[in-house]
Amino acid sequence: MQSLSRDEDLHLEKQTFSYKDKNPGGCYVMFESLPSFYDGEHPNVVSKPFAATAKKDISLRTGEGILYYLVANRLFTTAEDVDSMIEFVNRGNQLFVAANDLDSTFISRLYTKVSNNTNFFAKPGAEEHYVNHALTPDTVYTRDSIAGGRYFTLLDTARTTILGTDSNFRANFVRINVGKGQVFLLLQPSILTNYFLMYKHNLGSLEKLAAYTYGYYTVYWDEFYKYHQYPQEGEFSQWSVLMRYPALRWALWLLVLLLLLYALFESKRRQRIIPDKVVLTNNSLEFVEALGQLYYQQHDNVNLARKIIMQWLEFIRTKYYLNTNTIDDEFIRRLSHKTGMPLADVEAIIDSIHFIQLADKITDTYLKEFYSKIQAFYLNTK
């Protein structure tokens, strides 16, 4: 495939040929006009390669009486796509291709050759002649500021019909019979843009083109190939379907950036997870019970009670940070306030402590009552 001139590139880069584009280089007018030529329904829009779509669409894969429109600046195909297109046409369908450049893989299967140079400087604008004898002999449509297109240099005359010519009367629009169907090749896709069709009576040009396809009521519109400006390389070329939409393109780059940031920060050495510190449990009751069993069995009540007092005072110092050297009214008041115990209950414990510290002997009953007071203190304090 030959590259276009610099001047022509400057013009063609403004043409998207998209069915949604209402700008001069879009094909919105053509797409919206097609229903009036067929069954009143808009064409089915295809956004994947022809072969991939045919594998999933049973109509394209096995159907007949189908028309497929493909409008692009350059047509780049794979061998698989071309095989699928030819098989599609062979069954009795029509493939309408309008492009400034046609892939050599594609046109070689149609025994056709295209000029290496364009007609860019021949006229100040595009000029399309229709040579169908059923039409008026001077059927011609023009529009300035459109680059001239290429033209055919070799055609298989046994199965090719010339339908249109450029300003120099060189064939640029043909119909080629392939099996039971036909392939239409137009080397001037600019005449299908909004800029051309909305000029004077040029919409009639689209009607002349569509007239050759009457009788085909299932219509497809291609939105895949127009976004490929370089030869395809397998399935990876489908990434460009995502890249052509600004929102998806930004989302893709944002995803890549987030993955890079994640890899960067996660690659650093991570601190070992510090296990949760086990909350200290109150083992005072367990200690008192174990110690009490030992002394109670020996009936050494005074010694046992004093051990209970020592453990209790240690508990007060550790948990409530109170000085137990002096156990007076101020101590009782502060202990009651910190523990939430009634003042009378605290006074009862302190009175028992004073008694035990001075006694030489205490009864089992008194020891049990004192133990009950201490146990209630442990259970009910905050």
Side-chain angles (χ1 to χ4, degrees), residues 15 18 24 44 104 108 162 170 246 253 268 277 291 309 337 349 352 370:
Q15 297 180 325
S18 172
N44 302 303
S104 58
S108 64
I162 297 175
R170 294 173 297 198
W253 286 121
K268 296 182 178 180
K277 184 177 181 180
L291 191 62
I309 292 170
H337 176 72
I349 293 175
S352 296
F370 177 67

Side-chain angles (χ1 to χ4, degrees), residues 30 63 71 91 108 118 154 187 223 264 281 297 304 310 320:
M30 176 182 180
V71 184
R91 288 197 312 270
S108 64
T118 68
L154 176 66
L187 299 180
E223 277 290 305
L264 176 63
T281 58
Q297 291 173 4
L304 175 57
M310 290 175 59
Y320 299 109

Side-chain angles (χ1 to χ4, degrees), residues 288-341:
V288 171
E289 290 177 357
L291 191 62
Q293 289 294 331
L294 176 62
Y295 286 97
Y296 188 72
Q297 291 173 4
Q298 298 177 0
H299 297 283
D300 190 357
N301 293 345
V302 173
N303 199 5
L304 175 57
R306 289 174 180 172
K307 296 293 183 184
I308 293 174
I309 292 170
M310 290 175 59
Q311 180 64 24
W312 183 77
L313 293 176
E314 177 64 25
F315 176 75
I316 297 301
R317 288 192 295 270
T318 304
K319 184 172 182 180
Y320 299 109
Y321 304 103
L322 292 176
N323 187 352
T324 59
N325 291 331
T326 303
I327 301 178
D328 52 13
D329 291 341
E330 178 64 18
F331 174 82
I332 293 173
R333 186 189 64 77
R334 294 180 63 188
L335 181 59
S336 174
H337 176 72
K338 285 197 172 187
T339 61
M341 289 283 290

Side-chain angles (χ1 to χ4, degrees), residues 255-265:
L255 177 61
V256 172
L257 177 60
L258 291 177
L259 289 175
L260 290 176
L261 291 176
Y262 176 80
L264 176 63
F265 287 104

